[in-house]
Each structure stands twice: as C-alpha cells, then as structure tokens.
Amino acid sequence: MRLRALLETDALGLRLLGGEDELDRTVRGVMTTDLRDPSRYLSGGELVLTGLAWRRDAADSEPFVRILAGAGVAGLAAGEAELGDIPGDLVEACTRHRLPLFAVNETVAFATITEHVVRQVSGERAGDLAAVVDRHRRLMTSGPAGGGPEVVLDLLGSDLDLHAWVLSPTGRQIAGAGETSLPGPVGAALAGHHLAATRTGRRAPHRATVEGTTYSLFPIRNTGRGALPASRDVRESVLSDWLLAVEADASDWPPARLDLLQGVTQLIAVERDRRDAARTVRRRLAQEVLELVQTGAPPAEIAARLRVAAPVLLPGLGTAPHWQVVVARVEWGDTEGRSATGTPAGPGSSGSDIAGGPVAQALLEEILVDPAVTGPDTADRIAVAHTGEEAVALVPLPALGAPDRDAEGPADGDAALHADVLLAAVREPLSAGLADDGRLTLGVSAAVHSPEGLRGALEEARHARRVAAARPGRVCAAGHHELASHVLLLPFVPDDVRRAFTARLLDPLRDYDRRHRAELIPTLETFLDCDGSWTRCAARLHLHVNTLRYRVGRIEQLTGRDLSRLEDKLDFFLALRMS
C-alpha cells in the first residue's frame, strides 16, 4: 500500500507535516518504537510509529531521523500525546532527509494504525500474488516468452510493485520494465556480485547492495537445446548466463513468491533460447569464413563467401565494409571445479577439461555489443566462430577514412575497435566470474579493407592476444598497435634470462642507492627518458649539470657501461622495462 492511502483514511487521524512529494512510497510493514537507535529491527519499507520518548532535547532529532532514512523506512508517524505539538527540530530533520512525517492525533491509538496497515498490506500481497500467478500461467500457455521479457517485468512492476531488470553477465541491460533503466555501473556491479556468488556455490537468490539500494539476483538458466546438465561444471556457463535483478530483499519472501520469480526466470530463459537460435546462422557463416581464411583459400573464394553471407552478417549495409578480427581465449586452471549447485564437480572437471572455445564465443558476442545499447538482439552484425580453445569474431566496420599516421594511438579511425576500450566496462564483473582460476585474454587486429587482408588480420589478432596473455591479471587485452613496439618482445623473454639480465645491470646501482641514497636508478630512468640530453635531464631532476654528470659517471663506473653508446643505452632501457 502507499503512504497516500494512509493519509486519506480519516479513521487513522494522520496529519501530514512534511514530505508531500514522497507520498507514493510503498508501505510494507509497521513498527512502533521509542528506541534512540531502532536500526537493527528495521528492514526497509516500514511506517515507524513513535511516542517521542527517545527525545530529550532538540539535538536528538537529527540522529534519530538519519538512522530511519538510512534503513529505508517509508515514513515516520509521531504521536501528539507526549509533547502536544510535534517539535520543529523533528520536522526540519525529516525535511533534510526527505522522510515523510505525520502527526498522530492523541485520540488515535497506535494499535489502530498498526492493525489497519497489517490488514491492508497482507490483503494486497495476497491479491497481487494471485493476480501475477494467474497472468504468469496465461503467459506460459500463450506462446514462447509471452511477448518478451518486458511483458513479464511489466507485470512484476504493476502487480507486485517490483522493479526488475534482465542483465547480461557483464551487467548490460537486456530488458527492463517501462522507462526505468539501470545505470551502467550499477548493472556491472550487480553482475559482479552475481558471478562471484555463483562461483562460490551460494544458493540463489543472491542479495547485493549497490549505492545504498538492495537487490535480489536470480539466475536465468539456459533451458534450450544447448543447456548444460545441472551436474556439469558451473564454469562452462557462468560467463554466459543472464540474470534477473529485482530491487528488493527476497530473504524474507514466502515460498510462493520465490516460486513465482523462479517461474519468471523460466519465461525469460525461453526468450534467451530464441535469441541463441537466431545467432546460430551467423555463427555457422562465421565458421565457414574462418575455415576458408585459415586454410589459405584464394581471396576471390573468401570474397564470394562473404557476398553470400552479407544479407545475414551485414543487414542494412549495401556493400561490404572494412573488417576487424578479434580473438579471445578463456582458460581455466587445474583447481577443483564446482558443479552448478556449488558442490565439487569431481575429478573429471578440472579446468583443462572445460571446452574453452564455446565459452569464449558466447563471451565475445557479449563483449562486442555496445554496452549503451539495450535489448537481447543487439549483436546482429557480430559473427563469432570458435576453433579449438579460442573464439574469433569478424566485426564489420563502416567505411573508414584515410589513417592519420601522425596521430597518437591506433590509426584506424573513430569507428574501429580498440582493445582497452572493449574491456573497460566489463573487466570488473568478468574478473568476478573468472575468480581465482580463470583468465580471459583478447587480441584486436587493425582494420582491413578487403578479403585479402583477413588472414593477416587473424594472425595479427592472435599475436596481440599472446601479448595480452603474457601480462598479469584476470582480464587482459592488447591491440595491433602494440605489435610494432619493443613491448611485443619483452613478455616472451624467459624469466630466468630476464632476472639474470636485469640483475647484472641494475643490482650494482640498487646496492649503491641503498647504502648511499644516491638515487642512481631514478637518475638513469630520467636520463634515458630525456634521450640522453644533459640539460633537459638536469632541469627535470632539479640538479646542476655537473651533479648529473657525476651521477652518470658513477653509473658507468659501477656497471662498466658507457652511456654515450647506443647499445649500452638500449641495454639499460630494456633492463628497466623488464625489472
């Protein structure tokens, strides 16, 4: 029920003192208290009744109201029997915290208000639940998904006053009720909570609080032909399953309501299966093109295959655009797996037994969707195949202008994909799903303008992915522009060679710095960064040039190298980069 309904009930004797703009808040319960801090007894949505016995002076109102507002109560009703008029300091505190405040006439007992609220809330919950269950059954019998996820979410909003969203594993909004959208960072945080809870085997629904709002997260299991048996390793599906985020705390819900929400997730799973079926054609076409590219087929044959596939891969585009290739790989460690129910998956479920290609394929299809675009079928121009343990995406781009070779960063134009941008919005939730035994690495090629360039783009993307794999972290990406730099070589230097090389050059300087605080290492770094310019280096370090010459001389004496020689400069540069 709403606060407005209470105010309009004359028998309750309520008089509004503040918060007229908040009267549409939902009342989910009632509580009477005169404790100075009743927070441990509040769960949110209550109408709090108080006789003001907790108030000794004006300073007590602010902390009391702050506690109520922080607990998410619907409103405060203060009795006039104790003090007569409600104190102004209480009115001001409620105004500051946007908490609706009512005065209760001294002739009205709190028990009367409590009985009325309990009766109304219980009756409305029973009626709403029955209505939703009935509509839910009609939806189940009226056809697949009953018109899509939005229809089901609208029912939850209109009949149970529940705001809900369907989210992808990266937190992208796939569906929502009405015009209310979930902010991107909130969706990503909820997806991260859900993935982390799923990986640890916690029983759903999962409870999460983001930016002061509590949500309950329900997994949407794939129920179609590609669904995994419940006994299989959860890591095979955790990075591709959708979830239902409900703005409510389901921890105290009755079983009937929980069952209802489980039914809603089953309806949405039907829509998910339809979406996957529609992607099957694009996946098959991508697989055919990939096989031609990998086997070295003539460019004319590849071009002919792309022309045949264009109506599916390029809907709405008259001509074949430029292309980029993206390669992704998901790898799991050999730690003990866990089943979909959270129990150990058994000796046959180590990370090495999980097929990485399909997991990477589903994940890459999600990553390549613009996170600002909502809807279940926004990837209609993304074709992803998988071969072995990796997934390969053919991404069409609009016609690109001439590259600007003098500009910093990639020279592919604004429309091209960039590795760091791809993973920026999804790194946090995916890291939670990968937990401590999984890694995602991704490589992005430069744009090519003809089928002749696809094989080179594929190799370029694979090389970039190997560069990403040599970096620390659960989620790493690299782009083609990094392949033209010495940075490409450094990750592949064996650890023992790396340690020996850096120790031989830098350990004498580190030891000297420890004993004399001479700052030889920072001086060396700055000297090389200034391309060996004495004046620029001295100015940056705020040193006299003679002091700088003394330090460089000491570096040369300790290492036996000559910093006027290009070879020695290069050795020091590489040693600093590898250390």
Side-chain angles (χ1 to χ4, degrees):
M1 67 178 304
R2 309 284 182 173
L3 284 174
R4 189 181 306 279
L6 293 175
L7 186 63
E8 294 170 351
T9 304
D10 295 337
L12 300 183
L14 297 178
R15 180 165 50 89
L16 183 65
L17 300 180
E20 184 175 1
D21 294 339
E22 306 291 333
L23 290 179
D24 286 325
R25 291 188 180 188
T26 301
V27 179
R28 296 185 173 88
V30 63
M31 176 190 175
T32 300
T33 184
D34 275 312
L35 295 173
R36 296 168 69 86
D37 181 2
S39 57
R40 61 184 177 275
Y41 302 110
L42 298 170
S43 59
E46 297 92 348
L47 173 67
V48 174
L49 307 175
T50 180
L52 300 177
W54 49 266
R55 183 184 178 279
R56 298 186 179 90
D57 55 45
D60 292 336
S61 293
E62 169 63 26
F64 181 77
V65 173
R66 184 171 61 247
I67 289 169
L68 297 187
V73 304
L76 174 64
E80 296 179 324
E82 182 75 17
L83 301 178
D85 291 337
I86 305 303
D89 49 88
L90 180 60
V91 177
E92 293 172 1
C94 288
T95 300
R96 278 195 298 273
H97 291 279
R98 301 180 63 85
L99 182 66
L101 175 63
F102 303 91
V104 182
N105 191 283
E106 61 181 350
T107 62
V108 178
F110 282 177
T112 301
I113 300 176
T114 299
E115 181 182 356
H116 178 84
V117 171
V118 170
R119 185 171 61 250
Q120 291 295 319
V121 169
S122 299
E124 288 184 8
R125 281 180 176 170
D128 287 347
L129 187 58
V132 175
V133 169
D134 182 60
R135 294 190 190 188
H136 168 69
R137 288 171 178 160
R138 292 203 304 271
L139 283 173
M140 291 291 286
T141 58
S142 63
E150 288 81 4
V151 174
V152 186
L153 300 184
D154 283 338
L155 283 180
L156 290 178
S158 62
D159 288 21
L160 284 185
D161 198 27
L162 290 176
H163 299 292
W165 301 265
V166 178
L167 304 178
S168 77
T170 64
R172 181 177 61 87
Q173 181 175 319
I174 293 169
E179 302 295 326
T180 305
S181 294
L182 201 62
V186 174
L190 291 176
H193 279 291
H194 174 72
L195 292 175
T198 302
R199 286 303 313 277
T200 56
R202 283 163 46 196
R203 186 175 180 181
H206 308 129
R207 184 178 183 274
T209 300
V210 178
E211 296 184 2
T213 301
T214 299
Y215 300 86
S216 295
L217 311 176
F218 296 81
I220 299 174
R221 306 294 187 194
N222 186 358
T223 60
R225 287 170 293 179
L228 294 170
S231 59
R232 294 293 295 274
D233 195 311
V234 69
R235 291 175 291 182
E236 295 188 52
S237 60
V238 66
L239 297 178
S240 58
D241 282 345
W242 290 356
L243 66 138
L244 177 67
V246 181
E247 189 180 321
D249 186 353
S251 58
D252 60 348
W253 282 6
R257 180 171 288 197
L258 289 174
D259 289 345
L260 171 68
L261 266 294
Q262 295 296 344
V264 168
T265 65
Q266 292 170 12
L267 273 178
I268 298 171
V270 175
E271 176 67 23
R272 169 68 186 272
D273 186 41
R274 293 173 64 192
R275 193 284 309 259
D276 286 345
R279 278 188 176 178
T280 301
V281 176
R282 290 196 298 274
R283 287 176 172 178
R284 186 172 64 249
L285 291 174
Q287 197 79 35
E288 293 174 0
V289 174
L290 176 61
E291 289 174 1
L292 291 175
V293 171
Q294 289 191 129
T295 56
E301 184 178 352
I302 298 174
R305 194 72 195 91
L306 285 174
R307 283 194 296 272
V308 172
V312 176
L313 297 182
L314 312 171
L317 295 182
T319 58
H322 290 62
W323 297 88
Q324 272 184 285
V325 176
V326 183
V327 173
R329 190 181 182 102
V330 175
E331 298 172 292
W332 302 102
D334 290 329
T335 55
E336 183 182 46
R338 304 192 73 82
S339 71
T341 57
T343 57
S349 298
S350 65
S352 59
D353 293 328
I354 300 174
V359 176
Q361 181 183 43
L363 194 53
L364 196 51
E365 286 172 335
E366 171 61 27
I367 291 173
L368 292 175
V369 176
D370 184 349
V373 177
T374 62
D377 199 25
T378 54
D380 61 351
R381 291 183 182 174
I382 298 168
V384 185
H386 72 81
T387 172
E389 293 300 305
E390 71 179 10
V392 179
L394 301 175
V395 182
L397 301 172
L400 302 172
D404 181 2
R405 297 299 180 186
D406 297 326
E408 293 186 5
D412 299 307
D414 293 337
L417 300 173
H418 301 307
D420 52 346
V421 176
L422 275 180
L423 293 187
V426 301
R427 180 174 279 108
E428 182 179 352
L430 292 185
S431 296
L434 292 164
D436 58 355
D437 62 346
R439 288 199 78 205
L440 166 67
T441 52
L442 185 146
V444 181
S445 78
V448 294
H449 66 280
S450 68
E452 289 86 345
L454 282 177
R455 186 168 187 179
L458 175 60
E459 291 304 314
E460 192 173 55
R462 283 174 169 162
H463 280 305
R465 193 208 63 79
R466 285 193 284 270
V467 170
R471 295 171 175 167
R474 290 289 165 199
V475 180
C476 298
H480 63 92
H481 59 284
E482 298 180 62
L483 303 183
S485 168
H486 65 277
V487 176
L488 171 65
L489 303 176
L490 298 185
F492 302 101
V493 177
D495 288 343
D496 54 346
V497 175
R498 183 192 301 254
R499 286 192 294 268
F501 182 74
T502 58
R504 186 166 59 252
L505 278 176
L506 301 182
D507 279 2
L509 306 183
R510 294 188 179 116
D511 292 341
Y512 192 87
D513 280 347
R514 266 194 303 271
R515 294 196 306 270
H516 303 285
R517 298 182 181 177
E519 297 188 358
L520 296 184
I521 292 289
T523 300
L524 176 62
E525 291 176 325
T526 307
F527 185 72
L528 295 174
D529 192 48
C530 292
D531 298 322
S533 169
W534 296 97
T535 53
R536 281 194 289 129
C537 182
R540 188 179 296 185
L541 293 173
H542 305 291
L543 297 175
H544 192 278
V545 173
N546 289 341
T547 304
L548 175 61
R549 290 184 184 278
Y550 172 80
R551 289 188 183 179
V552 171
R554 179 64 68 185
I555 292 171
E556 293 174 334
Q557 179 186 13
L558 291 170
T559 60
R561 299 299 185 105
D562 181 357
L563 277 169
S564 66
R565 298 177 68 246
L566 176 61
E567 293 87 344
D568 288 341
K569 286 180 183 176
L570 181 58
D571 282 349
F572 277 122
F573 177 80
L574 293 174
L576 289 169
R577 281 299 183 97
M578 289 191 294
S579 63

